[in-house]
Amino acid sequence: MVIGWRGGVGGGGKRRVRVLRGKAMAERQDGFCLREVLAAFRACLTAEQTVLMDPYLRGWNGLIRFLNSLGTIFSFVSKDAVTKIQIMEKYRSSDQRERYETLQSMVEYELANGLVGLKNQGECPESGCRAILRLHRALHWLQMFLEGLRTSQEDSKTSVICTNSYNASLANYHPWVIRKAATLAFRALPTRNAFLENMNLGTPEEAVDMLGEALPYVCKVYEITEELYAKHKMLDLP
Ligand SMILES: CCCCCCCCCCCCC/C=C/[C@@H](O)[C@H](COP(=O)(O)O)NC(=O)CCCCCCCCCCCCCCC
C-alpha cells in the first residue's frame, strides 16, 4: 500500500485557483498538505514494531500547523501540544538523543533511571513518557475524528463529528473547564467539505480515499503505543 496522492498538485507560494469538476476552489497558500503528516506516521513504523520518535514528532508538528491554520480559537490547544512536542525535541537534540530514538527505547531508559514520575507529576515534570502519553491520547481522538470525517455523509457537521470523537476519547482526561472550552471551539470548525479541501489532498472524494489508505498506519502507531504503555502500567501516568 502506498501513501500518495494521485492528483499530484502541490501547494504553492502564490495564490492559485484550480478547477475541479466544474467547481473553482482556492488552494492553500501555505503549502500544507495532510499527505505529509500521514506519511510521517507511516514512517514511524519499523519492521521490529517499534515507533520512531522523529517521524512521530514530525507528524505532530504537521498537525499543529494544520490546527493553527484553523484560527486562533484553537491556540490554547496547540500551545499545550507544542509544549509536549518541545519536551521531546529537546531530548532528541540532547546528549541522550539515542535513548529517545524510539518510544520503546525511551520507556526503557526513563523507567530504568527513575525519570518517569509514576506517582505524581511534580516528580518529573519533563518526563518523556508523560509527554508522549498526552499526545498518544490525542492521537486516539485524531484517529476517531478522521475516521468519522471519512465515513460521514456530505452534509454532516464537522463540529458534531469532532465533539463525538472528543467525548469518546480525550474528554475523559480533561476537567470540565477544558471540555467546555474545547466543545465551544469545535463550533467554529468549517463544513465537512471545506475541512476536507483544507487538507490539500484534492477534492473531498480524493481526500476521503487518501484517508482510507493512510489511517491504518496512524491506528497501528496508536496500537503499538497503547500496548507498550499497558505493558508497563503507564496508561494513567499523572
Ligand atoms: C480539528 C479541530 C481540532 C480540535 C482539537 C481537539 C482536541 C481538543 C483538546 C483540548 C486540549 C486543551 C488543552 C489542554 C490540555 C491539557 O490539560 C491536557 C493535559 O496536559 P497536562 O497533563 O500536561 O496538564 N493536554 C492534553 O490532553 C494534550 C492535548 C493535545 C491536543 C492536541 C490536538 C491536536 C489536534 C490537531 C488537529 C489537527 C486536525 C487534523 C485534521 C486533519
Side-chain angles (χ1 to χ4, degrees):
M1 207 184 309
V2 175
I3 294 188
W5 179 51
R6 293 176 294 280
V9 179
K14 290 198 178 144
R15 182 180 172 82
R16 279 186 290 166
V17 171
R18 60 198 156 101
V19 178
L20 290 163
R21 295 183 190 172
K23 185 176 64 165
M25 191 174 78
E27 271 187 15
R28 289 184 66 115
Q29 294 174 47
D30 60 2
F32 175 88
C33 178
L34 192 75
R35 179 183 46 178
E36 283 149 32
V37 172
L38 296 168
F41 283 107
R42 182 190 183 185
C44 291
L45 297 163
T46 69
E48 297 76 34
Q49 301 282 295
T50 56
V51 176
L52 294 170
M53 189 70 77
D54 292 343
Y56 189 90
L57 299 177
R58 198 164 66 241
W60 270 105
N61 276 319
L63 288 171
I64 299 310
R65 207 170 146 204
F66 186 89
L67 185 64
N68 287 338
S69 75
L70 293 174
T72 50
I73 195 162
F74 290 104
S75 301
F76 74 107
V77 180
S78 64
K79 270 192 194 134
D80 185 75
V82 165
T83 306
K84 271 88 180 159
I85 295 166
Q86 284 175 345
I87 290 176
M88 301 316 304
E89 288 176 337
K90 202 173 81 187
Y91 289 131
R92 280 300 288 152
S93 53
S94 73
D95 292 347
Q96 300 300 327
R97 70 180 72 87
E98 280 168 25
R99 309 286 195 171
Y100 289 86
E101 192 174 356
T102 64
L103 298 195
Q104 287 72 8
S105 61
M106 169 191 75
V107 167
E108 192 184 326
Y109 169 68
E110 289 201 342
L111 278 175
N113 292 278
L115 298 171
V116 177
L118 295 165
K119 299 239 161 56
N120 67 67
Q121 188 178 336
E123 258 178 86
C124 301
E126 300 238 306
S127 144
C129 288
R130 183 176 180 281
I132 290 290
L133 178 63
R134 270 45 180 180
L135 295 176
H136 168 68
R137 289 170 178 168
L139 200 63
H140 192 210
W141 161 80
L142 180 79
Q143 190 185 307
M144 294 174 90
F145 173 62
L146 291 180
E147 184 60 15
L149 208 57
R150 185 180 82 82
T151 53
S152 60
Q153 302 292 316
E154 203 182 321
D155 59 356
S156 305
K157 281 197 155 51
T158 317
S159 58
V160 173
I161 301 170
C162 191
T163 305
N164 290 344
S165 43
Y166 174 71
N167 286 340
S169 57
L170 256 187
N172 295 312
Y173 304 99
H174 290 162
W176 182 86
V177 65
I178 298 275
R179 291 203 303 266
K180 192 75 192 162
T183 38
L184 275 176
F186 296 158
R187 290 197 205 167
L189 288 171
T191 63
R192 175 185 182 271
N193 278 5
F195 197 93
L196 287 168
E197 281 171 1
N198 215 15
M199 293 175 180
N200 211 3
L201 296 170
T203 61
E205 295 78 14
E206 285 169 324
V208 161
D209 287 350
M210 170 77 196
L211 287 176
E213 279 176 40
L215 269 175
Y217 298 109
V218 177
C219 295
K220 190 71 191 163
V221 169
Y222 177 82
E223 277 167 27
I224 295 177
T225 314
E226 182 77 5
E227 266 177 40
L228 176 70
Y229 273 69
K231 184 171 137 197
H232 294 284
K233 301 192 171 34
M234 295 203 304
L235 283 169
D236 293 313
L237 286 183

